[in-house]
Amino acid sequence: TPPPYAGLRTVCGRTMLREDAPASGAEELSSAADVHVSILGLLRPGATGGQIVGEAYRLARAAGFGFSETDELGSGIGLDIRQAPYLVPGDATALTSGMALAVRTRLKSVNLGTIHRADTVLVAEPGPDVLTARPSADSSPASYGGTTG
């Protein structure tokens, strides 16, 4: 069970490379991190799960990654590890300020397989607040208009 953060359960995940991985792998991970940060930036009041998944698919494809339009991109989190709202195709639930969500980006790479990144995010204005620590500068909060918890 993930540890609580200010009373919330949190989710954080990263795909990492082995030390002997080719440089192209690091470039691909960096590109995947950029896509993930762009997806996090979509979590704003008024956006729906269906809209977010559709735009996430477009962002992933534009960066050269595969992305399943049928997979769950994330869900609400707080009293339970997985609860409404759900970031799934067709979901019409509008996000509101104060909702906490676990966002699990799974990008498919020809070279690396599935690249996974996950964060717990608080929906807010002017941008989302990432509640999980970021281990590198490749995806700073300034890049999506939010803050870190």
Side-chain angles (χ1 to χ4, degrees):
T1 302
Y5 175 89
L8 298 174
R9 296 191 179 278
T10 61
V11 172
C12 182
R14 302 285 183 268
T15 296
M16 305 298 227
L17 292 177
R18 292 171 28 146
E19 291 176 10
D20 60 349
S24 61
E27 292 167 9
E28 206 164 1
L29 273 187
S30 179
S31 179
D34 291 343
V35 171
H36 179 72
V37 167
S38 294
I39 291 170
L40 295 182
L42 301 172
L43 280 85
R44 296 180 183 269
T48 68
Q51 291 169 335
I52 292 166
V53 170
E55 183 62 11
Y57 176 81
R58 188 194 69 71
L59 289 166
R61 300 301 274 176
F65 294 104
F67 183 89
S68 174
E69 290 182 275
T70 59
D71 287 347
E72 179 183 289
L73 180 62
S75 64
I77 192 168
L79 300 176
D80 202 349
I81 197 70
R82 199 173 163 277
Q83 63 191 42
Y86 298 97
L87 302 180
V88 295
D91 185 90
T93 305
L95 301 183
T96 60
S97 287
M99 285 182 166
L101 292 101
V103 179
R104 299 172 191 92
T105 304
R106 294 172 199 91
L107 302 174
K108 292 164 182 64
S109 159
V110 173
N111 300 316
L112 299 177
T114 300
I115 300 171
H116 172 255
R117 293 184 71 90
D119 280 297
T120 300
V121 179
L122 185 67
V123 177
E125 283 292 350
D129 183 6
V130 178
L131 301 178
T132 41
R134 306 220 54 91
S136 64
D138 66 340
S139 47
S140 68
S143 63
Y144 56 81
T147 61
T148 57

